[in-house]
Amino acid sequence: MAQFPTNLNEAIDWLASFGAEPDGGVTRTLYSQSWKDAQQALKGWMEDAGLDTNYDSIGNLFGRLPSSIPNAQTILIGSHVDTVKSGGKYDGAYGIIAGILALIYLKKKFGQPDLNLEVVSFCEEEGSRFPIALWGSGVITGNYSFKDIRDIKDSQGISFETAMMAAGFGLSKYRVRNDIQTFIELHIEQGPTLEKIEKSIGIVKAIVGQKRFRITVNGESNHVGTTSMKWRRDALHGAVFMIHDLYESVKVYDEDLVTSVGQLFLEPNVPNVIPNHVQFTVDARHPNESILRSFCQQFVQMFEDHAKKFGLDLSVEMWHEVQPAQMNHKLNEIIQGICTDNMIPCHWMNSGAGHDAQLFAGICPTTILFVPSQGGISHSPLEYTSTQDLEKGLEVLIQLLHQLAYHR
Ligand code: HGY
Ligand code: MN
Ligand code: MN
């Protein structure tokens, strides 16, 4: 293969080679070597395509097809380059690749646009390495600044600042941009809806809000054999009741409410010792902020009641919170028109996954469009979207950008 990909499928496999895992998944966490290699490779591809490239001070990478009009506003497209641990090769990557291919096509076919067209590879969205998510888009949109990462460390105890500076970033003040007029993200659905109803494009009305918590339960370790059940302060026993009731309590809400315990640590994690320390995460989501808030208040109260009953110490820390976001109806109607004109079956829906578009919706007209995920699987090596569906998404993105940025 040439040094840079020439089509969508080649590009997906090319980018997935940075951080490839033996199980077929991809792991590219913020400021890691595979992350740096991927950003540098994307920069090379953008430059080979004739785009003006630059990094901002935290490692977001931009490739710009400049307008012929001085001081023109910018339409930003793109997605995130980081992944979950052993994630799929489409989540985030597809939006960046489709953005680059769209600009290559538009530049070749129509020349310079009337607005700047810029593709971005956001440095971080997942929150996989450090307890902060949407860092890349969060800084651009003013939701985050360097003070938000000051005291955080990854699971190896490496501080965010050390990792950021070792990767060559975080060395200068962030330059806030005021030229971004529109943000558009193309992304895999990561759910089963489009495949089940046989639609090629998802037009997203709203992205759910999410709240992520770290729950710490402390008790007392002791000998399993010599400590009577009534004298124990067993952290895991209490945590099990908390987690069971978390899943039970969802049942009284509508099906848009979702929650999971995705991570659980146990100490000392030895078969014949009563656990004295449990830490687990709760990720809760809903399109309506007040329903989401009341669900979270309810489960925290339940956890406190169980902690009291078992004589345990409880700490509840919400480390990530993002509000539900409405996508721009006018942009979505243009997408609907493109799908109708091209007889591409589409479906208006909500997004249960969080996305960078969620933060841009707070500063400019924004939307995100989906292509189907086979079996609805994502955040897994089994994540897959057919070439045909990937191409259709790219086609709609190209026509959307042509309508928005070429007026003559
Ligand atoms: O967790 C999410 O919703 C997204 O995939 N980061
Ligand atoms: Mn993801
Ligand atoms: Mn994503």
Side-chain angles (χ1 to χ4, degrees):
M1 184 173 82
Q3 194 192 4
F4 297 111
T6 54
N7 63 55
L8 247 174
N9 254 351
E10 245 181 57
I12 293 280
D13 291 335
W14 171 77
L15 190 51
S17 67
F18 300 98
E21 297 278 14
D23 65 0
V26 182
T27 302
R28 255 194 323 265
T29 54
L30 181 61
Y31 303 135
S32 64
Q33 191 56 52
S34 58
W35 175 93
K36 275 190 285 190
D37 295 344
Q39 287 291 63
Q40 277 302 93
L42 284 165
K43 186 170 186 289
W45 186 22
M46 290 173 181
E47 284 161 2
D48 183 66
L51 302 179
D52 305 335
T53 64
N54 77 293
Y55 280 113
D56 65 14
S57 64
I58 63 166
N60 290 315
L61 169 67
F62 299 89
R64 190 183 180 94
L65 174 57
S67 160
S68 49
I69 301 163
N71 306 318
Q73 289 282 290
T74 299
I75 297 179
L76 189 65
I77 59 179
S79 194
H80 57 95
V81 74
D82 69 313
T83 69
V84 295
K85 293 202 170 60
S86 208
K89 56 186 184 178
Y90 303 86
D91 178 5
Y94 171 53
I96 302 166
I97 289 166
I100 296 172
L101 290 171
L103 297 196
I104 292 173
Y105 177 86
L106 289 166
K107 178 169 180 278
K108 197 164 155 210
K109 185 124 173 120
F110 303 109
Q112 278 193 294
D114 302 315
L115 294 168
N116 300 312
L117 287 174
E118 199 161 327
V119 54
V120 58
S121 168
F122 293 119
C123 60
E124 194 283 340
E125 183 267 353
E126 296 286 4
S128 299
R129 178 178 180 186
F130 295 99
I132 186 166
L134 297 164
W135 169 242
S137 51
V139 172
I140 298 174
T141 55
N143 285 278
Y144 285 137
S145 68
F146 285 156
K147 71 172 174 19
D148 296 300
I149 51 99
R150 196 141 299 140
D151 307 323
I152 60 178
K153 294 184 169 33
D154 68 10
S155 54
Q156 316 297 321
I158 299 170
S159 81
F160 191 104
E161 281 170 312
T162 306
M164 179 164 61
M165 293 169 95
F169 300 102
L171 307 166
S172 60
K173 213 166 134 359
Y174 193 81
R175 184 180 59 83
V176 178
R177 295 182 55 165
N178 53 22
D179 65 314
I180 300 170
Q181 179 213 57
T182 302
F183 176 69
I184 297 163
E185 184 168 6
L186 180 55
H187 203 285
I188 53 170
E189 179 201 342
Q190 300 182 289
T193 305
L194 292 176
E195 184 183 55
K196 278 195 189 317
I197 60 174
E198 296 180 355
K199 303 285 185 190
S200 304
I201 295 288
I203 300 177
V204 178
K205 297 174 286 187
I207 302 176
V208 296
Q210 49 178 288
K211 295 182 195 299
R212 298 191 200 177
F213 297 81
R214 181 179 302 108
I215 312 294
T216 306
V217 184
N218 286 318
E220 192 175 74
S221 62
N222 210 325
H223 194 299
V224 164
T226 57
T227 313
S228 142
M229 294 308 279
K230 60 179 178 295
W231 289 328
R232 296 176 177 211
R233 293 179 57 229
D234 182 336
L236 183 64
H237 194 178
V240 161
F241 273 79
M242 294 173 194
I243 296 170
H244 170 269
D245 284 2
L246 173 79
Y247 285 108
E248 283 304 297
S249 63
V250 175
K251 290 176 181 169
V252 301
Y253 288 82
D254 65 78
E255 64 169 19
D256 278 338
L257 183 79
V258 291
T259 190
S260 258
V261 172
Q263 203 173 44
L264 186 142
F265 298 111
L266 173 67
E267 283 175 8
N269 207 21
V270 169
N272 59 351
V273 178
I274 298 167
N276 68 329
H277 175 81
V278 174
Q279 191 169 77
F280 62 89
T281 59
V282 175
D283 179 326
R285 309 192 185 192
H286 195 278
N288 175 298
E289 173 61 18
S290 62
I291 293 174
L292 180 58
R293 196 175 318 115
S294 65
F295 170 71
C296 294
Q297 284 163 351
Q298 181 197 351
F299 78 66
V300 170
Q301 185 53 57
M302 268 183 337
F303 288 9
E304 285 165 356
D305 296 346
H306 283 308
K308 210 157 148 213
K309 202 166 57 187
F310 284 89
L312 303 170
D313 301 321
L314 173 74
S315 100
V316 177
E317 183 209 349
M318 180 164 67
W319 66 268
H320 178 59
E321 177 181 30
V322 60
Q323 303 290 319
Q326 297 303 316
M327 297 295 101
N328 182 274
H329 191 69
K330 260 179 78 190
L331 287 171
N332 282 347
E333 283 188 320
I334 297 172
I335 295 170
Q336 172 67 65
I338 293 167
C339 292
T340 309
D341 296 350
N342 294 275
M343 293 187 286
I344 297 174
C346 61
H347 171 64
W348 292 62
M349 60 194 289
N350 283 336
S351 169
H355 295 286
D356 294 300
Q358 201 144 7
L359 297 185
F360 276 90
I363 66 161
C364 67
T366 291
T367 196
I368 180 167
L369 48 159
F370 287 159
V371 293
S373 292
Q374 190 173 73
I377 296 172
S378 182
H379 284 186
S380 151
L382 300 176
E383 188 179 276
Y384 176 76
T385 296
S386 73
T387 307
Q388 194 193 10
D389 284 334
L390 295 173
E391 295 287 1
K392 269 197 197 132
L394 174 57
E395 180 54 36
V396 172
L397 178 67
I398 287 173
Q399 291 197 33
L400 176 61
L401 294 177
H402 181 243
Q403 279 199 39
L404 295 175
Y406 291 84
H407 306 130
R408 286 175 286 194

